[in-house]
Amino acid sequence: MAARKLAITGGRVIDPAQGIDRIADVLISNGKIDEVTAGTTGSAPDGYEHIDASGKIVSPGFVDLHTHLRDPGQEWKETIVTGTRAAAFGGFTTISAMPNTDPVQDSAAVVDDVMRRSAADGLIRVLPIGAISIGQKGKQLAPMGELANSGVIGFSDDGNPVTDANLMRQALSYSVELGLPIINHAEDKKIGAGGVMSAGTVATRLGLAGVPAEAETAMVARDLNLAALTKARLHIPHISTAGSLIALRTAKESGVDVTAEVTPHHLTLSDEWVYGLKGVVPTTVGPEAYDTNTKVNPPLRSRADVEAVIDAVSEGLIDIIATDHAPHAATDKVCTYNEAAHGINVLETAFSSVFQLVDAGKISVVRLIESLTSGPATILRKDIGSLKKGFSADVVVIDPGSKWIVNPEQFESKSVNSPLAGVELTGRVVTTIYQGETVFDLSDVVASAGAKQ
Ligand SMILES: [Zn+2]
């Protein structure tokens, strides 16, 4: 690492881990944070490179607990290289690689390979998640101790729920000693069997089979009971229903060691987006009746559920925002809604989409940044997600007034499966710094877009 010295001056520095929210300068040297100054000088000390962040927000780099990198095995959808580039574009300096790759990350050999290639080829930090069960088949526990020794930050069969309650109990029990969370995809597939979107009026109008909210709440309730029984750490991924929140609140109040995440899309899009009209409800349903880029698991829920998860993030009942970035090839989405793959491409739109809730006064900007930085870092128990002295210089500069129209064709991701295509968002990451080096700069993107014309 070069001995780069960098001063980011005059921005509104928000670092929830330290309770910092003030106009200040961030000084960086040798890839580490040196100091967040008391006020701003407006200029860089001698020998420092300078970023003028006046009018901007300066935050710790974002930390994602839920990313699907598709590498190894489905490199036509995403790779470690393109996925980490997409992450940097979105302001993320740490992402967690879900194990549903091919082969599955259920052995030290596969995890070691992902870690080695991430360190060599990745633009930012990649933390692997190990599988709960061999092959994510839900039959036999993966070698959890071996995976922990390899450096996994938790265990998940994401995509597949652990349906066998006894296996889930065993996984939770073993995880206690390892000190790592179990992240169970919370869905009772039998309750939602055959469903492709949330049950409700939209599903009925479109003639699509619906998944009731209880498919999630039933599994959340089971997992909370097992976490209470085993005193293990449970992390609930992509929580999406008001009913799950009732169970989550009760469990937290009774001392269960549980945390929960929500995705940007479950915070901002309802099932009305399935119509493909950016949330507008049509008077008649025509031949182009739906947008397969809205197909995701758990499905986009009712507006009431969306309001409930927004309130839960705002008050801190839901601990963090995680992307569930799930890139898919065009062939997985240019098809009928029934045939389409589940998943939304999120890394590059995550911050901007949720920032609309800040502009609407529903979530404070400090809480939003906390849910993307110190929140996930606390769950990971790692020294990241803050601008504390000596921490890795992972920093994001955000322009809260910058407007942009989402164009997936310009994504760094290999895939373009975003329902936000063509939508104008306000608030954008303009610079991402990882270990003191600039890994994304919006002016480079604008310059190259100009050069193409
Ligand atoms: Zn999942």
Side-chain angles (χ1 to χ4, degrees):
M1 190 63 59
R4 185 190 195 199
K5 287 174 173 252
L6 176 65
I8 305 168
T9 66
R12 177 182 173 189
V13 179
I14 299 177
D15 181 14
Q18 300 191 86
I20 291 174
D21 180 3
R22 63 172 182 261
I23 305 296
D25 301 343
V26 178
L27 303 181
I28 292 167
S29 65
N30 298 317
K32 306 278 188 207
I33 301 289
D34 268 350
E35 185 183 359
V36 178
T37 57
T40 182
T41 59
S43 61
D46 280 350
Y48 281 70
E49 289 179 53
H50 185 207
I51 293 177
D52 179 359
S54 308
K56 311 241 179 10
I57 294 168
V58 179
S59 150
F62 304 150
V63 179
D64 188 21
L65 226 57
H66 193 147
T67 316
H68 296 279
L69 283 176
R70 310 296 190 210
D71 184 355
Q74 293 188 312
E75 290 86 351
W76 64 92
K77 297 185 178 187
E78 198 77 286
T79 64
I80 287 168
V81 172
T82 60
T84 57
R85 270 199 216 138
F89 186 105
F92 292 89
T93 49
T94 302
I95 58 176
S96 308
M98 274 294 176
N100 62 335
T101 47
D102 184 13
V104 169
Q105 290 166 212
D106 62 1
S107 70
V110 181
V111 170
D112 291 348
D113 170 65
V114 169
M115 290 183 76
R116 185 179 48 75
R117 290 190 297 114
S118 297
D121 306 333
L123 208 52
I124 53 138
R125 188 179 295 109
V126 177
L127 303 174
I129 296 173
I132 294 172
S133 68
I134 301 279
Q136 294 194 307
K137 294 190 189 320
K139 300 287 184 210
Q140 188 185 352
L141 284 185
M144 292 170 61
E146 175 187 306
L147 291 168
N149 286 338
S150 287
V152 301
I153 51 87
F155 301 95
S156 181
D157 279 358
D158 191 59
N160 298 328
V162 178
T163 52
D164 181 333
N166 189 44
L167 194 78
M168 182 65 178
R169 178 186 174 182
Q170 287 175 21
L172 286 161
S173 294
Y174 284 128
S175 73
V176 173
E177 206 175 311
L178 304 171
L180 297 172
I182 298 288
I183 308 167
N184 185 33
H185 176 104
E187 180 190 11
D188 185 324
K189 293 229 184 225
K190 293 211 165 153
I191 294 176
V196 294
M197 67 171 291
S198 186
T201 311
V202 181
T204 305
R205 270 190 96 192
L206 290 173
L208 295 171
V211 181
E214 286 73 10
E216 176 177 291
T217 53
M219 189 61 100
V220 166
R222 185 204 74 173
D223 288 349
L224 288 169
N225 277 297
L226 291 173
L229 173 69
T230 55
K231 302 197 166 28
R233 294 176 64 200
L234 175 70
H235 178 70
I236 303 173
H238 45 54
I239 205 163
S240 67
T241 71
S244 297
L245 298 174
I246 295 169
L248 176 65
R249 186 184 302 279
T250 305
K252 282 192 165 186
E253 285 172 357
S254 65
V256 176
D257 195 352
V258 58
T259 51
E261 72 186 32
V262 62
T263 69
H265 36 286
H266 291 106
L267 278 170
T268 55
L269 312 180
S270 72
D271 61 351
E272 290 171 349
W273 278 66
V274 174
Y275 287 122
L277 300 171
K278 315 298 180 194
V280 173
V281 177
T283 46
T284 57
V285 174
E288 291 185 344
Y290 47 70
D291 177 3
T292 55
N293 287 323
T294 61
K295 187 175 176 185
V296 63
N297 192 9
L300 300 179
R301 303 287 189 182
S302 69
R303 276 201 237 171
D305 286 315
V306 173
E307 291 302 321
V309 290
I310 292 170
D311 289 347
V313 169
S314 185
E315 70 158 294
L317 175 62
I318 294 177
D319 302 82
I320 66 164
I321 296 170
T323 69
D324 194 8
H325 175 74
H328 283 295
T331 47
D332 300 313
K333 290 292 191 180
V334 183
C335 53
T336 70
Y337 210 84
N338 286 329
E339 292 165 325
H342 289 106
I344 295 179
N345 196 307
V346 182
L347 282 170
E348 286 160 88
T349 56
F351 177 83
S352 297
S353 63
V354 184
F355 195 72
Q356 311 312 298
L357 299 175
V358 174
D359 275 345
K362 294 184 174 181
I363 294 179
S364 76
V365 67
V366 173
R367 178 66 195 121
L368 168 59
I369 287 176
E370 182 181 46
S371 70
L372 288 167
T373 60
S374 57
T378 301
I379 295 171
L380 290 166
R381 297 180 176 169
K382 290 203 180 289
D383 288 345
I384 53 175
S386 171
L387 303 174
K388 286 180 188 157
K389 182 177 172 61
F391 273 32
S392 176
D394 304 346
V395 189
V396 176
V397 182
I398 297 154
D399 183 346
S402 174
K403 291 184 188 300
W404 63 297
I405 293 172
V406 177
N407 179 359
E409 298 300 331
Q410 292 176 348
F411 280 178
E412 295 288 344
S413 170
K414 263 196 181 179
S415 297
V416 297
N417 51 309
S418 171
L420 297 176
V423 172
E424 184 179 77
L425 299 173
T426 304
R428 189 172 192 185
V429 169
V430 291
T431 308
T432 305
I433 292 160
Y434 172 61
Q435 295 183 340
E437 299 296 323
T438 302
V439 289
F440 168 71
D441 193 276
L442 184 61
S443 58
D444 296 341
V445 176
V446 173
S448 72
K452 278 181 205 162
Q453 286 166 4

PDB file of all heavy atoms in Angstrom, residues 54-85:
ATOM      1  N   SER A  54     -17.095  19.932   0.587  1.00  0.00           N
ATOM      2  CA  SER A  54     -18.072  20.955   1.004  1.00  0.00           C
ATOM      3  C   SER A  54     -19.441  20.624   0.400  1.00  0.00           C
ATOM      4  O   SER A  54     -19.538  20.332  -0.794  1.00  0.00           O
ATOM      5  CB  SER A  54     -17.646  22.331   0.511  1.00  0.00           C
ATOM      6  OG  SER A  54     -16.317  22.592   0.898  1.00  0.00           O
ATOM      7  N   GLY A  55     -20.471  20.685   1.220  1.00  0.00           N
ATOM      8  CA  GLY A  55     -21.834  20.399   0.742  1.00  0.00           C
ATOM      9  C   GLY A  55     -22.132  18.922   0.625  1.00  0.00           C
ATOM     10  O   GLY A  55     -23.232  18.527   0.236  1.00  0.00           O
ATOM     11  N   LYS A  56     -21.156  18.090   0.948  1.00  0.00           N
ATOM     12  CA  LYS A  56     -21.330  16.640   0.821  1.00  0.00           C
ATOM     13  C   LYS A  56     -21.370  15.976   2.205  1.00  0.00           C
ATOM     14  O   LYS A  56     -21.055  16.607   3.220  1.00  0.00           O
ATOM     15  CB  LYS A  56     -20.174  16.052   0.003  1.00  0.00           C
ATOM     16  CG  LYS A  56     -19.909  16.794  -1.301  1.00  0.00           C
ATOM     17  CD  LYS A  56     -20.083  15.909  -2.447  1.00  0.00           C
ATOM     18  CE  LYS A  56     -19.882  16.510  -3.823  1.00  0.00           C
ATOM     19  NZ  LYS A  56     -19.333  17.833  -3.981  1.00  0.00           N
ATOM     20  N   ILE A  57     -21.728  14.714   2.214  1.00  0.00           N
ATOM     21  CA  ILE A  57     -21.708  13.911   3.434  1.00  0.00           C
ATOM     22  C   ILE A  57     -20.504  12.971   3.337  1.00  0.00           C
ATOM     23  O   ILE A  57     -20.253  12.388   2.275  1.00  0.00           O
ATOM     24  CB  ILE A  57     -23.007  13.096   3.575  1.00  0.00           C
ATOM     25  CG1 ILE A  57     -24.209  14.041   3.795  1.00  0.00           C
ATOM     26  CG2 ILE A  57     -22.908  12.083   4.716  1.00  0.00           C
ATOM     27  CD1 ILE A  57     -25.552  13.360   3.649  1.00  0.00           C
ATOM     28  N   VAL A  58     -19.772  12.860   4.427  1.00  0.00           N
ATOM     29  CA  VAL A  58     -18.624  11.937   4.476  1.00  0.00           C
ATOM     30  C   VAL A  58     -18.943  10.871   5.528  1.00  0.00           C
ATOM     31  O   VAL A  58     -19.235  11.195   6.682  1.00  0.00           O
ATOM     32  CB  VAL A  58     -17.331  12.688   4.837  1.00  0.00           C
ATOM     33  CG1 VAL A  58     -16.153  11.714   4.899  1.00  0.00           C
ATOM     34  CG2 VAL A  58     -17.062  13.796   3.828  1.00  0.00           C
ATOM     35  N   SER A  59     -18.907   9.625   5.097  1.00  0.00           N
ATOM     36  CA  SER A  59     -19.347   8.514   5.947  1.00  0.00           C
ATOM     37  C   SER A  59     -18.300   7.404   5.910  1.00  0.00           C
ATOM     38  O   SER A  59     -17.512   7.309   4.966  1.00  0.00           O
ATOM     39  CB  SER A  59     -20.688   7.998   5.383  1.00  0.00           C
ATOM     40  OG  SER A  59     -20.888   6.630   5.627  1.00  0.00           O
ATOM     41  N   PRO A  60     -18.302   6.531   6.905  1.00  0.00           N
ATOM     42  CA  PRO A  60     -17.498   5.319   6.757  1.00  0.00           C
ATOM     43  C   PRO A  60     -17.991   4.525   5.542  1.00  0.00           C
ATOM     44  O   PRO A  60     -19.175   4.630   5.179  1.00  0.00           O
ATOM     45  CB  PRO A  60     -17.777   4.530   8.048  1.00  0.00           C
ATOM     46  CG  PRO A  60     -18.310   5.543   9.019  1.00  0.00           C
ATOM     47  CD  PRO A  60     -19.030   6.572   8.186  1.00  0.00           C
ATOM     48  N   GLY A  61     -17.138   3.745   4.908  1.00  0.00           N
ATOM     49  CA  GLY A  61     -17.552   2.876   3.806  1.00  0.00           C
ATOM     50  C   GLY A  61     -18.656   1.941   4.276  1.00  0.00           C
ATOM     51  O   GLY A  61     -18.669   1.502   5.421  1.00  0.00           O
ATOM     52  N   PHE A  62     -19.591   1.641   3.368  1.00  0.00           N
ATOM     53  CA  PHE A  62     -20.722   0.798   3.730  1.00  0.00           C
ATOM     54  C   PHE A  62     -20.293  -0.666   3.841  1.00  0.00           C
ATOM     55  O   PHE A  62     -19.355  -1.120   3.170  1.00  0.00           O
ATOM     56  CB  PHE A  62     -21.850   0.921   2.697  1.00  0.00           C
ATOM     57  CG  PHE A  62     -22.336   2.326   2.472  1.00  0.00           C
ATOM     58  CD1 PHE A  62     -22.833   2.700   1.225  1.00  0.00           C
ATOM     59  CD2 PHE A  62     -22.296   3.281   3.478  1.00  0.00           C
ATOM     60  CE1 PHE A  62     -23.285   3.995   0.984  1.00  0.00           C
ATOM     61  CE2 PHE A  62     -22.744   4.584   3.260  1.00  0.00           C
ATOM     62  CZ  PHE A  62     -23.237   4.930   2.008  1.00  0.00           C
ATOM     63  N   VAL A  63     -21.023  -1.387   4.673  1.00  0.00           N
ATOM     64  CA  VAL A  63     -20.748  -2.801   4.943  1.00  0.00           C
ATOM     65  C   VAL A  63     -22.009  -3.589   4.608  1.00  0.00           C
ATOM     66  O   VAL A  63     -23.073  -3.316   5.173  1.00  0.00           O
ATOM     67  CB  VAL A  63     -20.380  -3.003   6.430  1.00  0.00           C
ATOM     68  CG1 VAL A  63     -20.113  -4.482   6.718  1.00  0.00           C
ATOM     69  CG2 VAL A  63     -19.166  -2.145   6.814  1.00  0.00           C
ATOM     70  N   ASP A  64     -21.899  -4.542   3.691  1.00  0.00           N
ATOM     71  CA  ASP A  64     -23.072  -5.338   3.306  1.00  0.00           C
ATOM     72  C   ASP A  64     -22.945  -6.747   3.861  1.00  0.00           C
ATOM     73  O   ASP A  64     -21.938  -7.424   3.637  1.00  0.00           O
ATOM     74  CB  ASP A  64     -23.213  -5.388   1.778  1.00  0.00           C
ATOM     75  CG  ASP A  64     -24.528  -6.027   1.360  1.00  0.00           C
ATOM     76  OD1 ASP A  64     -25.468  -6.060   2.183  1.00  0.00           O
ATOM     77  OD2 ASP A  64     -24.621  -6.501   0.203  1.00  0.00           O
ATOM     78  N   LEU A  65     -23.978  -7.182   4.545  1.00  0.00           N
ATOM     79  CA  LEU A  65     -23.961  -8.513   5.157  1.00  0.00           C
ATOM     80  C   LEU A  65     -24.559  -9.582   4.239  1.00  0.00           C
ATOM     81  O   LEU A  65     -24.639 -10.744   4.633  1.00  0.00           O
ATOM     82  CB  LEU A  65     -24.768  -8.462   6.469  1.00  0.00           C
ATOM     83  CG  LEU A  65     -24.162  -9.119   7.694  1.00  0.00           C
ATOM     84  CD1 LEU A  65     -22.800  -8.548   8.007  1.00  0.00           C
ATOM     85  CD2 LEU A  65     -25.080  -8.954   8.907  1.00  0.00           C
ATOM     86  N   HIS A  66     -24.990  -9.184   3.028  1.00  0.00           N
ATOM     87  CA  HIS A  66     -25.770 -10.147   2.237  1.00  0.00           C
ATOM     88  C   HIS A  66     -25.582  -9.869   0.747  1.00  0.00           C
ATOM     89  O   HIS A  66     -26.340  -9.116   0.136  1.00  0.00           O
ATOM     90  CB  HIS A  66     -27.251 -10.013   2.636  1.00  0.00           C
ATOM     91  CG  HIS A  66     -28.129 -11.128   2.138  1.00  0.00           C
ATOM     92  ND1 HIS A  66     -29.210 -11.585   2.856  1.00  0.00           N
ATOM     93  CD2 HIS A  66     -28.101 -11.873   1.015  1.00  0.00           C
ATOM     94  CE1 HIS A  66     -29.797 -12.562   2.193  1.00  0.00           C
ATOM     95  NE2 HIS A  66     -29.151 -12.748   1.059  1.00  0.00           N
ATOM     96  N   THR A  67     -24.555 -10.472   0.160  1.00  0.00           N
ATOM     97  CA  THR A  67     -24.259 -10.272  -1.261  1.00  0.00           C
ATOM     98  C   THR A  67     -24.136 -11.641  -1.934  1.00  0.00           C
ATOM     99  O   THR A  67     -23.505 -12.541  -1.395  1.00  0.00           O
ATOM    100  CB  THR A  67     -22.908  -9.543  -1.449  1.00  0.00           C
ATOM    101  OG1 THR A  67     -22.817  -8.468  -0.533  1.00  0.00           O
ATOM    102  CG2 THR A  67     -22.749  -9.027  -2.864  1.00  0.00           C
ATOM    103  N   HIS A  68     -24.722 -11.757  -3.107  1.00  0.00           N
ATOM    104  CA  HIS A  68     -24.520 -12.970  -3.916  1.00  0.00           C
ATOM    105  C   HIS A  68     -23.553 -12.629  -5.047  1.00  0.00           C
ATOM    106  O   HIS A  68     -23.897 -11.886  -5.962  1.00  0.00           O
ATOM    107  CB  HIS A  68     -25.857 -13.468  -4.476  1.00  0.00           C
ATOM    108  CG  HIS A  68     -26.827 -13.903  -3.417  1.00  0.00           C
ATOM    109  ND1 HIS A  68     -26.770 -15.147  -2.813  1.00  0.00           N
ATOM    110  CD2 HIS A  68     -27.840 -13.246  -2.813  1.00  0.00           C
ATOM    111  CE1 HIS A  68     -27.722 -15.240  -1.902  1.00  0.00           C
ATOM    112  NE2 HIS A  68     -28.399 -14.104  -1.868  1.00  0.00           N
ATOM    113  N   LEU A  69     -22.347 -13.188  -4.964  1.00  0.00           N
ATOM    114  CA  LEU A  69     -21.323 -12.872  -5.972  1.00  0.00           C
ATOM    115  C   LEU A  69     -21.318 -13.855  -7.145  1.00  0.00           C
ATOM    116  O   LEU A  69     -20.675 -13.599  -8.168  1.00  0.00           O
ATOM    117  CB  LEU A  69     -19.929 -12.842  -5.324  1.00  0.00           C
ATOM    118  CG  LEU A  69     -19.602 -11.585  -4.515  1.00  0.00           C
ATOM    119  CD1 LEU A  69     -18.241 -11.728  -3.844  1.00  0.00           C
ATOM    120  CD2 LEU A  69     -19.634 -10.340  -5.389  1.00  0.00           C
ATOM    121  N   ARG A  70     -22.017 -14.998  -6.986  1.00  0.00           N
ATOM    122  CA  ARG A  70     -22.153 -15.992  -8.086  1.00  0.00           C
ATOM    123  C   ARG A  70     -20.826 -16.617  -8.514  1.00  0.00           C
ATOM    124  O   ARG A  70     -20.778 -17.270  -9.560  1.00  0.00           O
ATOM    125  CB  ARG A  70     -22.803 -15.365  -9.330  1.00  0.00           C
ATOM    126  CG  ARG A  70     -24.089 -14.591  -9.078  1.00  0.00           C
ATOM    127  CD  ARG A  70     -25.189 -15.486  -8.570  1.00  0.00           C
ATOM    128  NE  ARG A  70     -26.479 -14.807  -8.561  1.00  0.00           N
ATOM    129  CZ  ARG A  70     -27.445 -15.082  -7.688  1.00  0.00           C
ATOM    130  NH1 ARG A  70     -27.266 -16.015  -6.755  1.00  0.00           N
ATOM    131  NH2 ARG A  70     -28.590 -14.453  -7.746  1.00  0.00           N
ATOM    132  N   ASP A  71     -19.783 -16.397  -7.747  1.00  0.00           N
ATOM    133  CA  ASP A  71     -18.440 -16.849  -8.134  1.00  0.00           C
ATOM    134  C   ASP A  71     -17.874 -17.649  -6.964  1.00  0.00           C
ATOM    135  O   ASP A  71     -17.736 -17.090  -5.868  1.00  0.00           O
ATOM    136  CB  ASP A  71     -17.596 -15.594  -8.435  1.00  0.00           C
ATOM    137  CG  ASP A  71     -16.208 -15.912  -8.953  1.00  0.00           C
ATOM    138  OD1 ASP A  71     -15.839 -17.087  -9.001  1.00  0.00           O
ATOM    139  OD2 ASP A  71     -15.478 -14.949  -9.286  1.00  0.00           O
ATOM    140  N   PRO A  72     -17.592 -18.947  -7.131  1.00  0.00           N
ATOM    141  CA  PRO A  72     -17.497 -19.701  -8.381  1.00  0.00           C
ATOM    142  C   PRO A  72     -18.848 -20.259  -8.860  1.00  0.00           C
ATOM    143  O   PRO A  72     -19.772 -20.406  -8.090  1.00  0.00           O
ATOM    144  CB  PRO A  72     -16.591 -20.873  -7.970  1.00  0.00           C
ATOM    145  CG  PRO A  72     -16.915 -21.110  -6.529  1.00  0.00           C
ATOM    146  CD  PRO A  72     -17.178 -19.742  -5.963  1.00  0.00           C
ATOM    147  N   GLY A  73     -18.872 -20.543 -10.174  1.00  0.00           N
ATOM    148  CA  GLY A  73     -19.936 -21.375 -10.706  1.00  0.00           C
ATOM    149  C   GLY A  73     -20.913 -20.714 -11.649  1.00  0.00           C
ATOM    150  O   GLY A  73     -21.427 -21.351 -12.551  1.00  0.00           O
ATOM    151  N   GLN A  74     -21.201 -19.421 -11.441  1.00  0.00           N
ATOM    152  CA  GLN A  74     -22.142 -18.742 -12.341  1.00  0.00           C
ATOM    153  C   GLN A  74     -21.534 -17.397 -12.753  1.00  0.00           C
ATOM    154  O   GLN A  74     -22.153 -16.345 -12.616  1.00  0.00           O
ATOM    155  CB  GLN A  74     -23.497 -18.531 -11.654  1.00  0.00           C
ATOM    156  CG  GLN A  74     -24.226 -19.838 -11.373  1.00  0.00           C
ATOM    157  CD  GLN A  74     -25.638 -19.600 -10.868  1.00  0.00           C
ATOM    158  OE1 GLN A  74     -25.856 -18.802  -9.968  1.00  0.00           O
ATOM    159  NE2 GLN A  74     -26.605 -20.288 -11.448  1.00  0.00           N
ATOM    160  N   GLU A  75     -20.333 -17.502 -13.299  1.00  0.00           N
ATOM    161  CA  GLU A  75     -19.576 -16.274 -13.594  1.00  0.00           C
ATOM    162  C   GLU A  75     -20.187 -15.465 -14.721  1.00  0.00           C
ATOM    163  O   GLU A  75     -19.769 -14.323 -14.938  1.00  0.00           O
ATOM    164  CB  GLU A  75     -18.114 -16.621 -13.907  1.00  0.00           C
ATOM    165  CG  GLU A  75     -17.297 -17.114 -12.716  1.00  0.00           C
ATOM    166  CD  GLU A  75     -17.426 -18.619 -12.467  1.00  0.00           C
ATOM    167  OE1 GLU A  75     -18.290 -19.269 -13.108  1.00  0.00           O
ATOM    168  OE2 GLU A  75     -16.652 -19.139 -11.647  1.00  0.00           O
ATOM    169  N   TRP A  76     -21.149 -16.040 -15.449  1.00  0.00           N
ATOM    170  CA  TRP A  76     -21.809 -15.221 -16.466  1.00  0.00           C
ATOM    171  C   TRP A  76     -22.769 -14.206 -15.825  1.00  0.00           C
ATOM    172  O   TRP A  76     -23.186 -13.251 -16.460  1.00  0.00           O
ATOM    173  CB  TRP A  76     -22.545 -16.109 -17.481  1.00  0.00           C
ATOM    174  CG  TRP A  76     -23.673 -16.904 -16.901  1.00  0.00           C
ATOM    175  CD1 TRP A  76     -24.993 -16.540 -16.841  1.00  0.00           C
ATOM    176  CD2 TRP A  76     -23.589 -18.204 -16.294  1.00  0.00           C
ATOM    177  NE1 TRP A  76     -25.725 -17.524 -16.217  1.00  0.00           N
ATOM    178  CE2 TRP A  76     -24.900 -18.560 -15.889  1.00  0.00           C
ATOM    179  CE3 TRP A  76     -22.544 -19.098 -16.071  1.00  0.00           C
ATOM    180  CZ2 TRP A  76     -25.186 -19.772 -15.253  1.00  0.00           C
ATOM    181  CZ3 TRP A  76     -22.831 -20.307 -15.438  1.00  0.00           C
ATOM    182  CH2 TRP A  76     -24.122 -20.635 -15.030  1.00  0.00           C
ATOM    183  N   LYS A  77     -23.130 -14.419 -14.557  1.00  0.00           N
ATOM    184  CA  LYS A  77     -24.016 -13.470 -13.863  1.00  0.00           C
ATOM    185  C   LYS A  77     -23.230 -12.402 -13.101  1.00  0.00           C
ATOM    186  O   LYS A  77     -23.634 -11.237 -13.039  1.00  0.00           O
ATOM    187  CB  LYS A  77     -24.892 -14.218 -12.856  1.00  0.00           C
ATOM    188  CG  LYS A  77     -25.843 -15.228 -13.482  1.00  0.00           C
ATOM    189  CD  LYS A  77     -26.771 -15.839 -12.432  1.00  0.00           C
ATOM    190  CE  LYS A  77     -27.735 -16.814 -13.083  1.00  0.00           C
ATOM    191  NZ  LYS A  77     -28.760 -17.294 -12.147  1.00  0.00           N
ATOM    192  N   GLU A  78     -22.134 -12.822 -12.487  1.00  0.00           N
ATOM    193  CA  GLU A  78     -21.297 -11.912 -11.697  1.00  0.00           C
ATOM    194  C   GLU A  78     -20.010 -12.644 -11.372  1.00  0.00           C
ATOM    195  O   GLU A  78     -19.974 -13.876 -11.377  1.00  0.00           O
ATOM    196  CB  GLU A  78     -22.015 -11.534 -10.396  1.00  0.00           C
ATOM    197  CG  GLU A  78     -21.479 -10.288  -9.686  1.00  0.00           C
ATOM    198  CD  GLU A  78     -21.921  -8.981 -10.343  1.00  0.00           C
ATOM    199  OE1 GLU A  78     -21.377  -8.653 -11.419  1.00  0.00           O
ATOM    200  OE2 GLU A  78     -22.808  -8.304  -9.791  1.00  0.00           O
ATOM    201  N   THR A  79     -18.961 -11.871 -11.112  1.00  0.00           N
ATOM    202  CA  THR A  79     -17.702 -12.449 -10.640  1.00  0.00           C
ATOM    203  C   THR A  79     -17.240 -11.631  -9.437  1.00  0.00           C
ATOM    204  O   THR A  79     -17.802 -10.574  -9.136  1.00  0.00           O
ATOM    205  CB  THR A  79     -16.603 -12.382 -11.725  1.00  0.00           C
ATOM    206  OG1 THR A  79     -16.315 -10.999 -11.988  1.00  0.00           O
ATOM    207  CG2 THR A  79     -17.029 -13.071 -13.017  1.00  0.00           C
ATOM    208  N   ILE A  80     -16.213 -12.121  -8.802  1.00  0.00           N
ATOM    209  CA  ILE A  80     -15.633 -11.353  -7.696  1.00  0.00           C
ATOM    210  C   ILE A  80     -15.190  -9.983  -8.206  1.00  0.00           C
ATOM    211  O   ILE A  80     -15.378  -8.962  -7.541  1.00  0.00           O
ATOM    212  CB  ILE A  80     -14.473 -12.147  -7.066  1.00  0.00           C
ATOM    213  CG1 ILE A  80     -15.046 -13.323  -6.249  1.00  0.00           C
ATOM    214  CG2 ILE A  80     -13.593 -11.245  -6.202  1.00  0.00           C
ATOM    215  CD1 ILE A  80     -14.022 -14.356  -5.811  1.00  0.00           C
ATOM    216  N   VAL A  81     -14.645  -9.932  -9.418  1.00  0.00           N
ATOM    217  CA  VAL A  81     -14.175  -8.661  -9.975  1.00  0.00           C
ATOM    218  C   VAL A  81     -15.344  -7.704 -10.213  1.00  0.00           C
ATOM    219  O   VAL A  81     -15.360  -6.571  -9.721  1.00  0.00           O
ATOM    220  CB  VAL A  81     -13.395  -8.893 -11.295  1.00  0.00           C
ATOM    221  CG1 VAL A  81     -13.079  -7.565 -11.972  1.00  0.00           C
ATOM    222  CG2 VAL A  81     -12.118  -9.674 -11.015  1.00  0.00           C
ATOM    223  N   THR A  82     -16.373  -8.166 -10.945  1.00  0.00           N
ATOM    224  CA  THR A  82     -17.476  -7.241 -11.273  1.00  0.00           C
ATOM    225  C   THR A  82     -18.336  -6.940 -10.044  1.00  0.00           C
ATOM    226  O   THR A  82     -18.834  -5.825  -9.892  1.00  0.00           O
ATOM    227  CB  THR A  82     -18.364  -7.815 -12.401  1.00  0.00           C
ATOM    228  OG1 THR A  82     -18.931  -9.076 -11.971  1.00  0.00           O
ATOM    229  CG2 THR A  82     -17.569  -8.019 -13.666  1.00  0.00           C
ATOM    230  N   GLY A  83     -18.496  -7.920  -9.177  1.00  0.00           N
ATOM    231  CA  GLY A  83     -19.312  -7.705  -7.977  1.00  0.00           C
ATOM    232  C   GLY A  83     -18.674  -6.700  -7.032  1.00  0.00           C
ATOM    233  O   GLY A  83     -19.368  -5.849  -6.454  1.00  0.00           O
ATOM    234  N   THR A  84     -17.352  -6.773  -6.879  1.00  0.00           N
ATOM    235  CA  THR A  84     -16.699  -5.806  -5.989  1.00  0.00           C
ATOM    236  C   THR A  84     -16.625  -4.420  -6.644  1.00  0.00           C
ATOM    237  O   THR A  84     -16.678  -3.408  -5.959  1.00  0.00           O
ATOM    238  CB  THR A  84     -15.287  -6.270  -5.553  1.00  0.00           C
ATOM    239  OG1 THR A  84     -14.481  -6.514  -6.710  1.00  0.00           O
ATOM    240  CG2 THR A  84     -15.352  -7.528  -4.697  1.00  0.00           C
ATOM    241  N   ARG A  85     -16.555  -4.375  -7.966  1.00  0.00           N
ATOM    242  CA  ARG A  85     -16.626  -3.073  -8.651  1.00  0.00           C
ATOM    243  C   ARG A  85     -17.997  -2.440  -8.450  1.00  0.00           C
ATOM    244  O   ARG A  85     -18.122  -1.242  -8.199  1.00  0.00           O
ATOM    245  CB  ARG A  85     -16.389  -3.250 -10.159  1.00  0.00           C
ATOM    246  CG  ARG A  85     -14.952  -3.154 -10.545  1.00  0.00           C
ATOM    247  CD  ARG A  85     -14.865  -2.854 -12.052  1.00  0.00           C
ATOM    248  NE  ARG A  85     -13.732  -3.534 -12.615  1.00  0.00           N
ATOM    249  CZ  ARG A  85     -13.711  -4.175 -13.771  1.00  0.00           C
ATOM    250  NH1 ARG A  85     -14.802  -4.241 -14.513  1.00  0.00           N
ATOM    251  NH2 ARG A  85     -12.637  -4.738 -14.197  1.00  0.00           N
TER     252      ARG A  85
END
